């Protein structure tokens, strides 16, 4: 059994925290944990906007706190995001996420993120074997 | 893109809700969604105690609200559960979960739950092919 505490990691374990332009992600579970998925708590700054496209991953995102919206860039459809709303990128959907208020999201990636990926210019993570 | 709202499901979609002795689970994502994992929001009643052993699944659980504890029945070790604490049953660990206050948990299962499983007497779910 693995037990980890988000608040403890924030205080004492920078190695599990990744930040980029106006977002921070705490990697609670990574590929090395052997669960077959990774689990992250991601915080997006109020007023920020992000375009991502996980070409090599499925991602599920559950809003725990905050207010914002997501636009599916293939269809142009926009959905409001409030606590309790979940979106699943089952088609590797290219999307724009906007945080009207700070958003705190629980995120699951399949295949699991290894922890060494960076967002590329196209908003994707490389597949593990692309380095 | 799949978008679902926990609060909407609570009001209007009993088909996604499963209840057993003193717990309720809202199945936000199931095997049929094709993400390779399932995602559930599970609420455990204050004062309740539960023993589970997912022999056929990995489960990750993140506490969003409440207070309780988990005991690993193999080692006897007990961990406190408060918001931000996560436990991952990477060894299919048999465990007892206690809710001192109502617990609200975000749960991920791999392989994904199909939605038709029931908890068996040993606290497990059958594998999909065990029916």
């Amino acid at each position: 059994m693995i037990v980890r505490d988000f608040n403890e990691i924030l205080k004492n374990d920078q190695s599990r925290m990744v930040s980029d332009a106006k977002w921070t992600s705490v990697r609670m579970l990574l590929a090395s944990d052997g669960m077959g998925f990774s689990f992250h708590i991601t915080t997006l700054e109020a007023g920020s906007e992000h375009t991502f496209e996980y070409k090599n991953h499925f991602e599920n995102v559950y809003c725990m706190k905050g207010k914002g919206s997501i636009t599916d860039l293939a269809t142009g459809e926009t959905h409001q995001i409030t606590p309790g709303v979940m979106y699943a990128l089952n088609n590797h959907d290219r999307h724009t996420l906007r945080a009207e208020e700070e958003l705190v999201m629980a995120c699951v990636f399949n295949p699991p993120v290894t922890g060494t990926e960076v967002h590329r210019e196209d908003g994707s993570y490389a597949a593990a074997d692309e380095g």
Side-chain angles (χ1 to χ4, degrees), chain A:
Chain A
M1 186 183 303
I2 299 165
V3 180
R4 293 186 181 129
D5 182 345
F6 173 76
N7 296 300
E8 199 60 40
I9 292 171
L10 281 189
K11 279 190 289 190
N12 299 320
D13 190 358
Q14 291 288 323
S15 72
R16 290 195 170 273
M17 292 176 60
V18 179
S19 293
D20 203 335
K22 302 190 175 182
W23 61 264
T24 298
S25 187
V26 173
R27 274 78 194 266
M28 304 287 297
L29 270 185
L30 286 169
S32 55
D33 292 309
M35 298 285 285
F37 55 86
S38 60
F39 184 80
H40 317 194
I41 304 295
T42 300
T43 303
L44 304 123
E45 281 182 31
S48 66
E49 186 177 305
H50 311 266
T51 296
F52 298 127
E53 180 182 4
Y54 296 111
K55 293 178 181 172
N56 303 301
H57 299 80
F58 293 119
E59 188 194 17
N60 185 58
V61 179
Y62 181 81
C63 176
M64 299 193 289
K65 194 176 158 195
K67 189 179 170 188
S69 65
I70 183 170
T71 300
D72 181 333
L73 295 176
T75 65
E77 201 176 358
T78 294
H79 306 272
Q80 296 306 305
I81 294 180
T82 52
V85 172
M86 176 207 86
Y87 63 85
L89 304 168
N90 61 324
N91 291 316
H92 309 283
D93 315 71
R94 185 169 174 82
H95 62 283
T96 296
L97 186 60
R98 283 170 220 86
E100 292 172 43
E101 300 171 5
E102 182 185 80
L103 286 170
V104 184
M105 316 291 257
C107 309
V108 186
F109 279 87
N110 170 29
V113 166
T114 64
T116 59
E117 297 87 350
V118 291
H119 276 100
R120 300 192 287 194
E121 278 191 22
D122 64 0
S124 75
Y125 284 144
D129 58 5
E130 291 182 68

